Structure formats: structure tokens, C-alpha cells
């Protein structure tokens, strides 16, 4: 079946990007806290009406959501104010010069000259002030999300709003929206509700969820097109899980958190932590189920969780654990594959998982990994395997060394011959 996924324009109506200058980012250089708009690009988003007047909540012309994301540590998020004004309003003989004034906060304290700034107007009128380090994975992900196929420069560039209305939200986009604190609204609730109804508001196993994706997702044959098949499965299962999670969490919140007639704050935090941990652990297990289904579709011989040296357990060994532990079996016919939904620095874990296999393969659905990180993997003899569609989130120099899932399958089949 074909299901609706929603579009980026359902959340953001406009976005602009620039590289922060020393004057804009460094309070030691300037106390003005201003973003310049020399190219008049922000006027496409904010118009030519000044927004100096205090809003009902007293925060200023625009309610601003300030977000700093580095990808290496927990992000920083603050609510602040933003004012839009003509700095030459009292100089009628001069051309107008528009500036965006921001309030100082933990996010603006963290940003540095050279960082990338994205200004995104939410459909509710709030202005998102998003900062990411230049060259970081999260910068690449944000540029990909907003379809900004250019290197940020000192001059602001405003994205064509038509692009946002044609950008479908898939699982990769939802992960980035999560980082921005955007709650995804499922456009296909009725159909998904019909699938989760038999579970009576309890979480089924990851295998059951994966099987539902294999049956109901609009996916190509895994034998013909494994790259797009696995993306369709992951996308469908993620949506299904989020819908069930929302129903269960709503019920739990409705019941309340009380202990002896008092609000039980500890119980609330325990439940919240449990919910977030479930998301992370389920995603990893789910991805392994989908990969195994692809390998079965291609009749590949493999084993999961085989114990190797130092009690390590590679996610996948080809052709088997018995072959790996047989010293007479040729090393060249052995393959290992690690599986991680997102990488950060966790890719190094696979380096010690199978000593007999010099070149490690690592599958991920992570997007826009930084050049520095992919270079480190290459130097460590790690071959990155990424579904073909997600290659577009990487720069051209990275793509030449990234393997598609179909190519990995062909390689394993050739080794078994």
C-alpha cells in the first residue's frame, strides 16, 4: 500500500542559512547580538515590517527557539527572543539595512565564528535559531534536511519555499526533527491504528514489528532492490512504533504519577527514561532483523551473535561461526558486518570483533557523517555500507568510498562461490 508521510512544509514555512562571522558570534568583538542581512535574504522570510514590539509573553518581536547541536555531546536548547528591525530607520537619506537581534543565552554563548546558522520559521510563527559546528555530521544532516545543496557562506541564503513543500518526511528526516524537538504528526494514523489494535496497548517484540513492516510497507523486492527495500521497512516500522508509543504514553500520562496521593516525580522520570531507552534499543535490534531478511532473500549463509575473540559478538558473520573458528577455512572467504542506526564514535567498537577479518564492514542508516569521521574509518580499514538513497547526504568525495547494500550482498555471494 502507499501511505502519506507528510512534508517539511507542514512544520517549517521558510529557512535561511549562513556562516557566522566573528562580529555576529563573538560577544568580545561586538555586544550588538545581531545577524546581518546584507543580501536582503531574510526579508523573504520576515518581511519588511519591524518586529520590535513585545509579544504577549514578553519575549520580544519573535519567540525564538535557540538550539545548539554538535553531534558530539548533548544539545543545548533555550527559549529566547528575536527582534527584526531596520538599523537605518532614522536615516531616511540612506538605504534600509535590516538586522535580526537575538537575546543572549546558553546557545549563543556556545556558538563560535565559522559555525553554521540556520534560521527556520516554524508554521506557528516561532523562529528557530539553530547552530551547528562547520564540517560536523549534524551540519550535513541539517543542510540535507532543508535541501540546502550549497556550502554556507558569510552571506545569508534563503531556501526557495517551494522546496520545503516537496520534501517528504521519511525516517531520516524524522530523526533530525527529533533533534530539533519537533513532534512528528503521523498523517496515516487510521491505517497504523488498525495494525497496532491487536497489541492492546503493549509493545510487541521487535521481530513482530519487523514482520509487520515486511508485510505492509510499500517496498520493492529485497532480492531486486535491497537498498530501497530496507529503507521502506525501516521507515514503516519506525512510524508504526511511534504511533503505538504515542498511544501507550498518552494512557500512562492520563493515569498520572502519584504515590500516596502526592505527585511522584521520580516515577515520572523513570517512565520517561524507560521510554527513551526503549526507542534506542529497539531501533538497533530492528535494523538487524531487516538486514537478516535481506540476506535471507538472497540465500546468503550467515550467523548472528557468534562469539569471537575476547568474548566479542559481531552482528553478522558470513558464512558461519563454524567457518570462522575453523583455522583451515580461508580468511579471504570470511566477512563480518556491524550494524548501527547511528555512529558518532561508536563505530570503533567493531574493530576488535573479529581478528581474522582485516577489513570490517559496517552498515548504517546514519546520514551526513562528517568527512573527518569517514576518513578515520577508511584509515582504520572500515568499509562503510549505506543504502543508496542516503548517499546523497554525503559529499561527492565521500560517496566514492561508501558501499551500497546491493554491492555488499554481491561481494558476500562472490566470496561464497
Amino acid at each position: 500500500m502507499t501511505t502519506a508521510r507528510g512534508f517539511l512544509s507542514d512544520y517549517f514555512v521558510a529557512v535561511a542559512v549562513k556562516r557566522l562571522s566573528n562580529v555576529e558570534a563573538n560577544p568580545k568583538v561586538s555586544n550588538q547580538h545581531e545577524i546581518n542581512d546584507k543580501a536582503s535574504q531574510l526579508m523573504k522570510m520576515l518581511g519588511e515590517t519591524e518586529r520590535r514590539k513585545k509579544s504577549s509573553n514578553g519575549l520580544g518581536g519573535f519567540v525564538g527557539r535557540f538550539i545548539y547541536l554538535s553531534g558530539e555531546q548533548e544539545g543545548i536548547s533555550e527559549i529566547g527572543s528575536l527582534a527584526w528591525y531596520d538599523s537605518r530607520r532614522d536615516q531616511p537619506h540612506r538605504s534600509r539595512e535590516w538586522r535580526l537581534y537575538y537575546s543572549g543565552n546558553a546557545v549563543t554563548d556556545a556558538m563560535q565564528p565559522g559555525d553554521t546558522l540556520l534560521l527556520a520559521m516554524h508554521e506557528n510563527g516561532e523562529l528557530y535559531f539553530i547552530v551547528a559546528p562547520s564540517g560536523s555530521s549534524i551540519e550535513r544532516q541539517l543542510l540535507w534536511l532543508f535541501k540546502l545543496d550549497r556550502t554556507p557562506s558569510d552571506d545569508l541564503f534563503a531556501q526557495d519555499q517551494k522546496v520545503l513543500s516537496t520534501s517528504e518526511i521519511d525516517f531520516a528526516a524524522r530523526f533530525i526533527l527529533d533533534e530539533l524537538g519537533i513532534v512528528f504528526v503521523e498523517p496515516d494514523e487510521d491505517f497504523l491504528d488498525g495494525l497496532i489494535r491487536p497489541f492492546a496497548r503493549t509493545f510487541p517484540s521487535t521481530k513482530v514489528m519487523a514482520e509487520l513492516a515486511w508485510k505492509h510497507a510499500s517496498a520493492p523486492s529485497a532480492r531486486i532492490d535491497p537498498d530501497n527495500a530496507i529503507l521502506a521497512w525501516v521507515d514503516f516500522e519506525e512510524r508504526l512504533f511511534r504511533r503505538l508509543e504515542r498511544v501507550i504514553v498518552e494512557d500512562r500520562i492520563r493515569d498520572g504519577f502519584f504515590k500516596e496521593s502526592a505527585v511522584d516525580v521520580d516515577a515520572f522520570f523513570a517512565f520517561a527514561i524507560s521510554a527513551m531507552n526503549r526507542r534506542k534499543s529497539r531501533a538497533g535490534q530492528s535494523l538487524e532483523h531487516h538486514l537478516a531478511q535481506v540476506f535471507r532473500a538472497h540465500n546468503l549463509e550467515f550467523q548472528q551473535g557468534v562469539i569471537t575473540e575476547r568474548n566479542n559478538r559481531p552482528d553478522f558473520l558470513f558464512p558461519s561461526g563454524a567457518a570462522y573458528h575453523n583455522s583451515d577455512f580461508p580468511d579471504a572467504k570470511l566477512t563480518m558486518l556491524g550494524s548501527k542506526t547511528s555512529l558518532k564514535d561508536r563505530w570503533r567498537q567493531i574493530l576488535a570483533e573479529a581478528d581474522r577479518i582485516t577489513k570490517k564492514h559496517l552498515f548504517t542508516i546514519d546520514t551526513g557523517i562528517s568527512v573527518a569521521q569517514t576518513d578515520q574509518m577508511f584509515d582504520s580499514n572500515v568499509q562503510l555500507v549505506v543504502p543508496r538513497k542516503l548517499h546523497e547526504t554525503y559529499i561527492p568525495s565521500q560517496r566514492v568510498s561508501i558501499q551500497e547494500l546491493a554491492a555488499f550482498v554481491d561481494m558476500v555471494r562472490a566470496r561464497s562461490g
Side-chain angles (χ1 to χ4, degrees), residues 167-238:
S167 298
E168 271 196 304
I169 296 177
D170 58 10
F171 80 94
R174 288 198 300 274
F175 285 149
I176 304 171
L177 291 175
D178 279 345
E179 294 284 343
L180 300 179
I182 301 293
V183 178
F184 175 73
V185 178
E186 176 56 58
D188 207 25
E189 292 180 356
D190 291 342
F191 175 71
L192 297 180
D193 284 347
L195 293 180
I196 65 176
R197 194 168 293 119
F199 303 132
R201 289 171 167 72
T202 58
F203 287 106
S205 69
T206 54
K207 180 64 179 299
V208 169
M209 295 285 280
E211 289 171 345
L212 285 170
W214 303 337
K215 182 178 181 180
H216 295 285
S218 179
S221 163
R223 187 165 182 80
I224 297 173
D225 189 357
D227 289 82
N228 282 324
I230 199 167
L231 287 182
W233 293 338
V234 169
D235 179 74
F236 187 90
E237 186 187 346
E238 177 69 16

Side-chain angles (χ1 to χ4, degrees), residues 159-324:
Q159 178 61 284
D160 187 334
Q161 295 184 24
K162 293 180 181 178
V163 173
L164 303 183
S165 64
T166 59
S167 298
E168 271 196 304
I169 296 177
D170 58 10
F171 80 94
R174 288 198 300 274
F175 285 149
I176 304 171
L177 291 175
D178 279 345
E179 294 284 343
L180 300 179
I182 301 293
V183 178
F184 175 73
V185 178
E186 176 56 58
D188 207 25
E189 292 180 356
D190 291 342
F191 175 71
L192 297 180
D193 284 347
L195 293 180
I196 65 176
R197 194 168 293 119
F199 303 132
R201 289 171 167 72
T202 58
F203 287 106
S205 69
T206 54
K207 180 64 179 299
V208 169
M209 295 285 280
E211 289 171 345
L212 285 170
W214 303 337
K215 182 178 181 180
H216 295 285
S218 179
S221 163
R223 187 165 182 80
I224 297 173
D225 189 357
D227 289 82
N228 282 324
I230 199 167
L231 287 182
W233 293 338
V234 169
D235 179 74
F236 187 90
E237 186 187 346
E238 177 69 16
R239 292 168 52 220
L240 188 64
F241 172 81
R242 292 293 183 98
R243 183 58 189 160
L244 178 58
E245 179 187 56
R246 187 176 186 87
V247 171
I248 292 175
V249 170
E250 282 181 350
D251 282 354
R252 183 66 183 89
I253 292 174
R254 193 176 294 112
D255 291 341
F257 296 88
F258 299 99
K259 185 177 182 180
E260 298 177 356
S261 300
V263 175
D264 191 343
V265 176
D266 291 337
F268 168 77
F269 281 122
F271 177 76
I273 292 171
S274 175
M276 295 308 296
N277 287 341
R278 182 185 294 108
R279 276 190 182 186
K280 296 175 183 177
S281 63
R282 182 208 60 84
Q285 295 170 13
S286 168
L287 189 59
E288 290 185 33
H289 288 315
H290 295 315
L291 282 168
Q293 184 72 349
V294 167
F295 302 147
R296 286 190 290 267
H298 287 266
N299 299 316
L300 298 182
E301 189 179 354
F302 68 94
Q303 268 189 277
Q304 294 176 256
V306 173
I307 297 177
T308 60
E309 300 81 7
R310 297 171 297 280
N311 209 37
N312 284 306
R313 293 175 181 267
D315 294 323
F316 295 91
L317 263 179
F318 304 82
S320 65
Y324 183 85

Side-chain angles (χ1 to χ4, degrees), residues 352-372:
E353 288 183 348
D355 290 351
R356 287 188 64 187
I357 302 173
T358 303
K359 189 167 190 174
K360 321 290 187 184
H361 285 75
L362 177 59
F363 181 86
T364 188
I365 52 175
D366 208 349
T367 54
I369 301 168
S370 69
V371 173

Side-chain angles (χ1 to χ4, degrees), residues 29-62:
V29 174
S30 172
N31 292 319
Q32 297 302 308
H33 286 191
E34 292 174 339
I35 303 299
N36 294 316
D37 184 29
K38 296 178 181 178
S40 300
Q41 290 285 292
L42 274 183
M43 283 197 295
K44 298 178 182 179
M45 291 174 54
L46 308 181
E48 296 186 59
T49 301
E50 290 192 341
R51 293 286 297 268
R52 292 174 179 260
K53 185 179 179 180
K54 293 286 184 181
S55 57
S56 59
N57 57 17
L59 289 174
F62 289 99

Side-chain angles (χ1 to χ4, degrees), residues 57 71 80 88 97 111 127-128 132 138 140 207 353 371-372 400:
N57 57 17
R88 295 175 177 174
E97 184 174 294
M111 67 188 191
L127 192 57
Y128 278 62
I138 191 64
R140 287 295 316 153
K207 180 64 179 299
E353 288 183 348
V371 173
V400 296

